[in-house]
Amino acid sequence: MADCNDWFRTGLEHIWLPYAQMKTQPGPAPIVSTSGARLEMADGSTLIDGVGSWWTSVHGYNHPTLLKAAHEQLETMPHVMLGGLAHEQAYRLAARLAEIAPGDLYKTFFTESGSVAVEVAMKVAVQYAMNLAGERRTRFVSFKGGYHGDTFATMSVCDPEEGMHSLFSGVVPDQYVVDLPDTDDRTAVIEKLLSSHNDIAAVLVEPLIQGAGGMRMHSPETLKALREACDRHGVLLIFDEIFTGFGRTGAMFAADRAGVIPDIMCLGKALTGGITPLAATIASRKVYEAFHTDSVDHALMHGPTFTGHAIGCAVANAGLDLFETKPRLEQVNTIEAQLTERLMPLSKLPQVADVRVCGAVAAVEFADEFDVSAARSWFIERGTFIRPLGRVVYLTPAYVIEQKDLATLTGAISEFADTVR
Ligand SMILES: *Cc1c(COP(=O)(O)O)cnc(C)c1O
């Protein structure tokens, strides 16, 4: 404990924390070890984790299969660059992603963060139109409530007001950020939008669930309508599955659950098993072929230093092994049933505006604002790590969470609902 106080207090003076007004926000909880769906705090107490380290640790923390893959790769060859050199893990992973990705998505570009995976998708979409027809299609359609990252290009496609980047309107490029037309007139609304502009490179959407924007869910019909409209207008459709990919919605990809195949798909978060940073942008054959020509100008000029990081790819391959050998999607379905049973009844409370469940995601949206910082501390005092987003209290547990631990999380949310009146 003396030890922890030392690094924690000294470091807190110098570390700049994510999404935090550091002057007013309560300090974070120091964690010294992890296992399964649990976090051990420096004072020896345990937190049941309802978040999974920003939705990454779907197999649980310290999974032996993932640790072994990381160790073995580290000992033989931590990494070599992909420019001019090749290593097995990135190549194996690209081939396996092509195998499991929907439709003919088959060509993967690796990055180290989801934001950059979305940047690559956007760059590919703009260059696709240039390569194919010399057209300048430079703008994107994206949706209110959406979140695609924190870099400059991705800020421009996030929700402009409710997102975290409202200060930057006018600084980032102007896009068509519109209401998600999850309504009966969806076909007409989308048609009107796409037919009134000829500078649209792609439509970018988080399929089925907008994660960071508050776990907002929409119907597969909306994605089908987007697909059809994009096809009519020669516009690409990009699915940002960084949150929804790898079983989160109950199917391997939200695209599978919705029955809609995008032209480009972005992956991250659960791809990593929560261990090392890695993200991927996967293009369809049609998209890739516009780059695969005799012209050097048609090449994709992109190459992060650690593209295809060997340890990250080794862990991701081991994660795919777990999806093949463990009943991950059944586990998600069991979680979905338990979340539904435990949390849906809260929708009857007057202080609750909405309860939503899809796969291993549950959101309880309150009618009124509450003190989010105080709520976060309240959950920690009850042995749970739950981080509300605005008025939304959500759970995105590891797929391996034990039933009784999940019951503790849902119980804490029920108890919390009683305090919000
Ligand atoms: C987290 C997230 C991102 C950004 O990923 P980073 O790795 O944080 O850059 C982009 N899109 C979606 C849908 C996400 O959930």
Side-chain angles (χ1 to χ4, degrees):
M1 196 53 212
D3 238 30
C4 153
N5 271 331
D6 196 36
W7 63 255
F8 185 65
R9 301 280 157 236
T10 314
L12 200 52
E13 281 293 304
H14 301 285
I15 192 163
W16 200 332
L17 294 173
Y19 305 125
Q21 173 41 270
M22 298 195 48
K23 185 165 180 189
T24 54
Q25 195 164 299
I31 300 301
V32 291
S33 73
T34 50
S35 93
R38 288 165 171 242
L39 308 162
E40 192 204 333
M41 298 216 286
D43 65 6
S45 58
T46 299
L47 298 179
I48 298 166
D49 189 353
V51 181
S53 283
W54 271 325
W55 320 328
T56 57
S57 74
V58 294
H59 308 288
Y61 294 109
N62 304 41
H63 194 290
T65 305
L66 303 187
L67 296 189
K68 181 162 173 280
H71 279 139
E72 283 177 4
Q73 188 61 40
L74 180 63
E75 310 257 295
T76 41
M77 184 178 69
H79 181 61
V80 290
M81 65 192 239
L82 292 198
L85 302 174
H87 67 76
E88 181 181 351
Q89 295 298 341
Y91 282 61
R92 269 185 3 99
L93 182 58
R96 290 178 81 179
L97 289 174
E99 194 73 32
I100 61 170
D104 70 346
L105 292 170
Y106 91 119
K107 198 79 173 176
T108 293
F109 192 94
F110 290 113
T111 47
E112 320 93 328
S113 86
S115 302
V116 179
V118 175
E119 293 263 347
V120 169
M122 293 172 76
K123 187 163 164 181
V124 165
V126 169
Q127 195 180 341
Y128 170 79
M130 291 175 179
N131 284 1
L132 207 61
E135 285 180 344
R136 286 195 78 78
R137 288 175 170 265
T138 55
R139 291 174 76 186
F140 292 82
V141 171
S142 64
F143 300 99
K144 296 198 178 143
Y147 174 78
H148 299 286
D150 296 335
T151 54
F152 266 72
T154 60
M155 282 199 288
S156 75
V157 284
C158 290
D159 187 299
E161 279 120 45
E162 287 186 39
M164 297 164 281
H165 310 127
S166 55
L167 288 176
F168 290 87
S169 71
V171 179
V172 299
D174 217 11
Q175 312 288 10
Y176 303 108
V177 188
V178 299
D179 287 321
L180 190 66
D182 195 33
T183 44
D184 287 341
D185 60 352
R186 51 175 69 82
T187 303
V189 173
I190 299 165
E191 178 57 30
K192 181 152 180 275
L193 179 67
L194 293 197
S195 56
S196 7
H197 305 284
N198 57 10
D199 57 353
I200 299 172
V203 173
L204 171 60
V205 64
E206 291 163 89
L208 296 183
I209 310 178
Q210 293 178 307
M215 304 296 156
R216 308 185 201 203
M217 301 175 188
H218 56 263
S219 69
E221 279 64 44
T222 298
L223 299 173
K224 291 192 180 104
L226 288 174
R227 177 71 276 175
E228 286 163 14
C230 285
D231 286 343
R232 278 196 302 277
H233 293 277
V235 164
L236 297 179
L237 179 62
I238 305 172
F239 278 3
D240 177 351
E241 292 232 22
I242 292 167
F243 170 60
T244 53
F246 298 100
R248 188 54 73 182
T249 68
M252 194 60 172
F253 300 105
D256 299 327
R257 183 158 175 167
V260 178
I261 301 168
D263 301 297
I264 304 175
M265 184 163 81
C266 301
L267 299 173
K269 297 214 161 96
L271 170 69
T272 70
I275 296 190
T276 43
L278 184 70
T281 307
I282 314 183
S284 69
R285 198 168 284 276
K286 172 183 95 175
V287 170
Y288 176 70
E289 275 170 2
F291 292 74
H292 195 87
T293 73
D294 293 322
S295 164
V296 286
D297 292 341
H298 287 170
L300 177 65
M301 297 309 282
H302 207 89
T305 306
F306 281 118
T307 179
H309 192 270
I311 297 173
C313 290
V315 172
N317 275 313
L320 292 185
D321 293 342
L322 292 176
F323 274 102
E324 280 172 12
T325 56
K326 307 284 178 186
R328 288 291 181 255
L329 299 183
E330 284 98 277
Q331 288 167 323
V332 171
N333 288 333
T334 306
I335 290 170
E336 179 176 70
Q338 197 181 342
L339 291 172
T340 304
E341 187 195 319
R342 299 295 176 102
L343 294 177
M344 273 303 172
L346 298 184
S347 63
K348 297 201 195 77
L349 300 175
Q351 66 272 36
V352 171
D354 190 26
V355 180
R356 303 182 279 276
V357 175
C358 175
V361 182
V364 177
E365 182 168 337
F366 287 87
D368 297 316
E369 304 281 335
F370 52 84
D371 182 340
V372 172
S373 295
R376 289 172 179 170
S377 308
W378 187 93
F379 281 114
I380 287 179
E381 283 157 23
R382 275 147 194 88
T384 56
F385 185 65
I386 294 174
R387 265 177 75 85
L389 292 162
R391 290 183 290 115
V392 178
V393 179
Y394 77 91
L395 293 177
T396 49
Y399 306 161
V400 298
I401 190 167
E402 290 183 22
Q403 230 173 335
K404 66 173 188 338
D405 283 354
L406 190 57
T408 303
L409 293 173
T410 55
I413 292 179
S414 300
E415 204 190 318
F416 178 75
D418 282 335
T419 71
V420 184
R421 279 181 210 255

